[in-house]
Amino acid sequence: MRKQFLNFKTLFLAVFTGLALTSCSDDDDSGAAEGNARIAVRMVDAPGDYEAVNIDVEEVQVQTGAEDDENEAWISLDTEAGIYNLLELTGGVSQLLADEEIEAGYAGQIRLILGDDNTIVQNGEEYPLATPSAQQSGLKLNLNQELEPGEEYFYVLDFDVDKSIVEQGNGGYTLRPVIRISAEDDAGMIVGEVHPSEFRSLVTATNASYSISAYTNAEGEFALYGVPEGTYQITVEADPISGLDELTVDNVVVDDDETTDLETLFLE
């Protein structure tokens, strides 16, 4: 979770300023075909205090055309449509939403279109998640990126569940997504394990500009995606019922396009 979140009350999200994406070389067999660029979109989850948060993803689109063209065309990507429980996308697990080659050129926005079957589970009860305007216009994410021929672009959408769900006065819930977006090839990653693993732990990387969190999975593994280059303090908080003390690790260095492995962190 980043300290400076961008809220979708207006259904609009600006990406990090100066987003720069690296790519595979032109002679890489896995790269995009000549004249095309490959774009992939994955979804992960920042922590949330619910039993399940089910998001109905119908389509991912990319807006293309000249940078100053107000009537840019929308291209529908080959989307892995489905209902995904965001709380399962932790411990290094991510969900691929789209991976396709498109004609190289200017890309203004990505649009995530949701269906009607968005729900949460709380105290064993399932509740519908209202999504104002999201199904019609989609959740728009600014790219403003020139896609170069033969190159690959990978984006990670990190839902902040706690800030994305608003409890209504009548007992209902509304989905107003707060999402942190990053480029896999333009940021680092922090991974590791927490023991004992029978209790879920919250792992947070913090510095003066960012705070990024994830829960451990059943094996105690965790992964923090899209971590900007810098030095971080890592905090590990186990479930309060465990009786385990909080652990802090200082001066963890993260480099762009590198994975920092903290190996095993032991709680006492």
Side-chain angles (χ1 to χ4, degrees):
M1 296 177 290
R2 186 177 175 181
K3 289 183 176 178
Q4 298 177 343
F5 281 111
L6 303 171
N7 199 300
F8 262 125
K9 291 184 179 178
T10 59
L11 296 181
F12 184 84
L13 175 67
V15 299
F16 297 139
T17 302
L19 186 64
L21 300 178
T22 60
S23 64
C24 295
S25 63
D26 292 341
D27 59 358
D28 187 341
D29 291 339
S30 65
E34 184 178 355
N36 289 340
R38 177 184 170 199
I39 185 169
V41 181
R42 287 186 174 272
M43 182 169 63
V44 298
D45 167 44
D49 191 19
Y50 299 94
E51 294 166 28
V53 178
N54 301 306
I55 301 299
D56 183 8
V57 177
E58 288 194 340
E59 193 172 8
V60 178
Q61 299 179 346
V62 178
Q63 186 187 47
T64 62
E67 185 171 354
D68 57 354
D69 183 2
E70 296 181 357
N71 299 310
E72 297 175 12
W74 286 96
I75 297 174
S76 294
L77 301 181
D78 184 11
T79 304
E80 295 288 338
I83 298 175
Y84 300 105
N85 180 4
L86 293 177
L87 301 190
E88 294 179 350
L89 304 180
T90 188
V93 177
S94 64
Q95 175 60 48
L96 180 66
L97 297 182
D99 186 354
E100 188 175 348
E101 291 185 15
I102 65 173
E103 185 176 354
Y106 180 76
Q109 295 178 323
I110 288 178
R111 181 159 63 187
L112 182 64
I113 296 178
L114 303 182
D116 297 320
D117 295 327
N118 304 288
T119 61
I120 69 166
V121 178
Q122 184 76 309
N123 299 321
E125 296 288 333
E126 185 175 80
Y127 300 91
L129 271 176
T131 53
S133 302
Q135 296 93 334
Q136 291 76 31
S137 63
L139 309 177
K140 298 177 183 178
L141 298 75
N142 268 359
L143 292 182
N144 297 325
Q145 178 73 35
E146 189 69 31
L147 306 182
E148 299 293 338
E151 296 193 350
E152 301 178 335
Y153 300 83
F154 303 92
Y155 299 95
V156 177
L157 309 182
D158 191 350
F159 273 78
D160 183 338
V161 168
D162 276 340
K163 289 183 169 60
S164 296
I165 298 173
V166 179
E167 187 170 359
Q168 302 169 352
N170 60 4
Y173 296 87
T174 300
L175 177 66
R176 292 178 177 169
V178 176
I179 302 175
R180 189 176 65 91
I181 185 170
S182 63
E184 278 189 346
D185 291 341
D186 192 44
M189 186 175 178
I190 301 175
V191 301
E193 295 183 22
V194 176
H195 282 223
S197 60
E198 57 263 34
F199 301 99
R200 185 175 69 168
S201 296
L202 176 64
V203 182
T204 305
T206 307
N207 64 12
S209 301
Y210 301 96
S211 181
I212 301 168
S213 302
Y215 280 122
T216 55
N217 63 13
E219 288 71 41
E221 300 165 336
F222 67 89
L224 304 179
Y225 290 92
V227 182
E229 185 176 48
T231 301
Y232 292 82
Q233 180 185 75
I234 306 299
T235 303
V236 183
E237 302 170 74
D239 190 313
I241 66 172
S242 70
L244 298 169
D245 292 334
E246 178 180 302
L247 173 68
T248 300
V249 181
D250 294 320
N251 299 319
V252 174
V253 177
V254 177
D255 295 319
D256 283 345
D257 200 20
E258 297 288 343
T259 297
T260 300
D261 190 348
L262 299 182
E263 299 182 349
T264 304
L265 304 176
F266 293 94
L267 300 179
E268 298 179 351

